[in-house]
Amino acid sequence: MYYNSTRNSSLKLSSAEAIVKGISDDGGLFLPNEIPSVTLAELKTLGDLPYSKRAEHIFKKFLTDFSAEEIEMCTSKAYAPENWDTDTVTKTVTVGNAEILELWHGKTCAFKDMALQVLPYLLVTSAKKTNITKDIVILVATSGDTGKAALEGFKDVKGTKIIVFYPEDGVSPMQKKQMVTQAGENVLVCAVKGNFDDCQNGVKEIFGSSDFDYLLADYNAQLSSANSINWGRLLPQIVYYISAYAELLKENKIAENEKINIVVPTGNFGNILAAYYAKEMGLPVNKLICASNKNKILTDFLNTGVYDRNREFFTTISPSMDSLISSNLERLLYLLSDENCIKYWFEQLKTMGKYQVPEDVSAKLKESFFGGYCDDTQTVKTIEKIFGEYHYLCDTHTAVAVNVYEEYVAQTGDKTKTIIASTANPCKFSNAVLGAVGGDTSLNEYAQLDELKKICGIEIPPQLNELKSKEPIYTDTITKEEMKEYVLKYIKGNNI
Ligand SMILES: *Cc1c(COP(=O)(O)O)cnc(C)c1O
């Protein structure tokens, strides 16, 4: 197996090379040239293994240039019980007809930990395998959760530096506090005037400027990415869908080969793309349900075949899904078409802010995906309703998924067993969640956590409570145009 780019199918990189580079020089994303399979027999075997071994098994199929020892090192360290607040790493809770797959039992209380705990090991191992001796500078654009999870994963990892950019007013107070109080010798956190897409574009521009790599080389450094454009982020996300299926099978909640639906609250399209990969590997999946908030560019795309970025950007109570740039859609479209189409569509996106895929591609998309969305009012109502009916408290992002799933069932009458990806601990978005269950939202965010505990009987993660007594370390705010200079200044001043 080798890795090529969505904009150049003749490239042949090893997985280690693809992971270190993060993004291809042609602006495309790396992906494996074939999709390996997973069989029913394997799914049965995986059900009896701990999470780290399930990950090891799936990783071996994609990282064919890694030795068995290297993979085992990465997965056993990342998915060691001490990094998670549950022995099983993920947790599944039955709510009505659906199984809620909680992916937020890691250090930062959001699903990003699932991939960002293992990415530093993959990256450092990849650098070693490809004889890279330069220091690796990780640039991150975040809508809140990736930033903190990447900081936790990369802090004090030798040979790496990490710089996180977040939108000044686009993250929750808890998310911001988590980031600006981050300890670690090799980290830097900075606010950007603008929204998440401004941060993403700024980082992309730095990656795309050819002079920058030369400049960095003078300081024995090179760039890489911890955003979901990096294959090393995608791969770990495939594992939990397969793992969840194996678990349901083991508990006799589904029959052998029984198909399931998977619902994913979506922003950059990374998480749901991982579910698509699991499906293409042979996991029995009926529909992938793509749930968006008021920034419903993907709902419109799945329904019409037109991807149109010329629209208003909304700031919502599910901020980690506030994006009009669904980066990973490029990988899906490549799988359904070819590099020439990709180059054409993404050129159109650049110049006109929109593109349209032909009917046959649109039909293929509709075969696998259902797209729906809900606004903030419906999100709040869903939290209230699910808590009222099942005494289950979900965060705002998960609530969007639950709402869209209910709409899907109402429209189709589909009774297929369904997994809903739950992407954050409700405590991370305390204001909206507390409001939904009738609590006093005039309190500060820590008092809100106490209220949530009182009203809903949930445990408050100690790492969130502890933020109360921490002072911010990082207070810089810059414009998008200043990002490049900021990175360079930091690297010049901090020869690692
Ligand atoms: C990142 C994030 C999402 C969106 O995931 P994508 O992979 O970008 O589609 C949804 N919910 C939460 C809580 C997140 O942190």
Side-chain angles (χ1 to χ4, degrees):
M1 178 184 293
Y2 56 86
Y3 287 70
N4 55 254
S5 156
T6 49
R7 302 189 195 180
N8 182 358
S9 61
S10 59
L11 274 185
K12 280 193 179 175
L13 269 62
S14 65
S15 74
E17 288 169 323
I19 289 170
V20 172
K21 275 188 82 80
I23 185 165
S24 184
D25 293 333
D26 51 41
L29 308 188
F30 294 121
L31 72 190
N33 70 317
E34 57 187 292
I35 299 180
S37 59
V38 62
T39 63
L40 176 64
E42 286 175 88
L43 290 170
K44 284 183 175 169
T45 314
L46 289 179
D48 294 325
L49 300 178
Y51 192 89
S52 68
K53 289 285 165 192
R54 293 177 192 171
E56 186 183 327
H57 185 83
I58 303 302
F59 278 26
K60 279 183 182 163
K61 294 175 187 285
F62 287 94
L63 308 178
T64 50
D65 51 318
F66 278 55
S67 72
E69 293 72 29
E70 285 166 338
I71 292 177
E72 204 266 339
M73 185 279 287
C74 294
T75 55
S76 65
K77 286 199 169 157
Y79 301 111
E82 64 262 28
N83 294 335
W84 310 87
D85 71 14
T86 164
D87 285 346
T88 47
V89 179
T90 66
K91 214 171 125 181
T92 310
V93 182
T94 307
V95 172
N97 266 334
E99 302 289 327
I100 302 229
L101 174 60
E102 294 180 351
L103 300 168
W104 38 261
H105 290 278
K107 293 178 178 176
T108 76
C109 308
F111 91 97
K112 302 294 197 295
D113 289 324
M114 296 300 300
L116 282 162
Q117 279 296 305
V118 74
L119 182 65
Y121 295 109
L122 291 175
L123 197 67
V124 170
T125 309
S126 296
K128 210 181 285 166
K129 294 176 71 63
T130 51
N131 299 318
I132 285 171
T133 53
K134 286 189 218 164
D135 291 310
I136 296 174
V137 181
I138 315 282
L139 292 190
V140 182
T142 185
S143 55
D145 293 327
T146 297
K148 178 61 182 179
L151 289 164
E152 272 302 319
F154 281 98
K155 69 161 185 233
D156 297 326
V157 173
K158 267 178 84 175
T160 71
K161 270 197 173 300
I162 171 160
I163 307 176
V164 170
F165 294 105
Y166 69 92
E168 189 180 21
D169 300 313
V171 299
S172 81
M174 200 66 86
Q175 287 178 315
K176 179 172 173 182
K177 193 77 186 281
Q178 277 188 312
M179 290 189 279
V180 299
T181 58
Q182 177 67 46
E185 287 298 314
N186 62 337
V187 311
L188 180 63
V189 179
C190 179
V192 174
K193 294 191 180 107
N195 61 38
F196 170 49
D197 286 346
D198 294 317
C199 294
Q200 279 211 88
N201 281 329
V203 164
K204 267 203 180 144
E205 269 167 36
I206 297 176
F207 273 109
S209 61
S210 50
D211 56 328
F212 205 74
D213 258 348
Y214 289 112
L215 286 173
L216 286 190
D218 287 346
Y219 301 97
N220 196 34
Q222 78 173 59
L223 294 177
S224 188
S225 167
N227 281 99
S228 56
I229 51 172
N230 193 318
W231 180 256
R233 269 284 300 277
L234 243 304
L235 172 58
Q237 299 184 175
I238 300 173
V239 175
Y240 47 72
Y241 294 112
I242 294 173
S243 166
Y245 190 96
E247 200 79 40
L248 290 179
L249 201 56
K250 184 175 130 185
E251 290 168 3
N252 292 317
K253 287 185 174 164
I254 49 174
E256 291 181 3
N257 291 322
E258 182 176 332
K259 286 192 173 178
I260 57 163
N261 294 326
I262 300 175
V263 192
V264 185
T266 297
N268 252 332
F269 209 76
N271 203 4
I272 196 163
L273 182 75
Y276 179 78
Y277 263 94
K279 176 178 190 278
E280 292 304 292
M281 288 174 76
L283 194 73
V285 173
N286 174 43
K287 277 279 179 211
L288 299 167
I289 297 164
C290 176
S292 302
N293 64 25
K294 202 175 172 190
N295 295 292
K296 60 180 185 65
I297 193 165
L298 284 164
T299 313
D300 294 342
F301 176 65
L302 291 170
N303 290 332
T304 64
V306 179
Y307 191 93
D308 189 353
R309 212 162 59 193
N310 305 307
R311 61 175 73 207
E312 195 181 339
F313 180 101
F314 297 105
T315 301
T316 73
I317 56 170
S318 44
S320 303
M321 295 156 68
D322 289 346
S323 175
L324 299 176
I325 308 178
S326 319
S327 308
N328 273 290
L329 191 58
E330 180 166 344
R331 285 191 169 107
L332 175 65
L333 291 177
Y334 175 84
L335 293 171
L336 301 180
S337 61
D338 62 47
E339 66 191 281
N340 292 324
C341 294
I342 296 294
K343 280 193 273 199
Y344 177 66
W345 294 331
F346 283 79
E347 189 52 36
Q348 294 219 307
L349 187 64
K350 208 163 120 191
T351 53
M352 304 197 309
K354 67 183 218 176
Y355 60 85
Q356 174 163 22
V357 298
E359 194 44 51
D360 63 313
V361 173
S362 201
K364 281 189 225 164
L365 285 167
K366 281 189 186 141
E367 223 173 271
S368 295
F369 294 89
F370 172 91
Y373 78 102
C374 83
D375 65 14
D376 281 355
T377 310
Q378 292 168 299
T379 306
V380 167
K381 275 198 187 133
T382 305
I383 296 174
E384 184 189 3
K385 182 179 153 207
I386 297 300
F387 185 70
E389 278 178 27
Y390 304 103
H391 209 76
Y392 182 80
L393 191 66
C394 63
D395 90 292
T396 48
H397 306 76
T398 308
V400 169
V402 171
N403 182 287
V404 170
Y405 171 59
E406 287 177 345
E407 181 198 325
Y408 168 79
V409 173
Q411 267 187 38
T412 60
D414 184 2
K415 293 198 169 61
T416 304
K417 188 92 191 156
T418 296
I419 290 178
I420 299 176
S422 173
T423 49
N425 186 314
C427 294
K428 252 188 130 160
F429 303 93
S430 55
N431 194 60
V433 173
L434 185 60
V437 294
D440 179 0
T441 53
S442 68
L443 301 165
N444 76 30
E445 59 260 42
Y446 304 102
Q448 286 181 352
L449 291 182
D450 294 336
E451 268 305 279
L452 269 181
K453 183 173 177 174
K454 231 186 278 163
I455 298 176
C456 307
I458 55 165
E459 285 304 315
I460 308 302
Q463 64 270 42
L464 294 185
N465 252 335
E466 283 160 12
L467 290 172
K468 194 169 14 182
S469 55
K470 288 192 179 169
E471 286 301 317
I473 303 170
Y474 302 101
T475 53
D476 288 349
T477 303
I478 61 171
T479 63
K480 186 185 148 212
E481 289 69 33
E482 291 168 328
M483 285 169 71
K484 204 166 159 178
E485 203 47 45
Y486 189 80
V487 171
L488 205 57
K489 211 170 105 193
Y490 179 61
I491 291 168
K492 281 181 184 169
N494 286 276
N495 266 324
I496 318 173

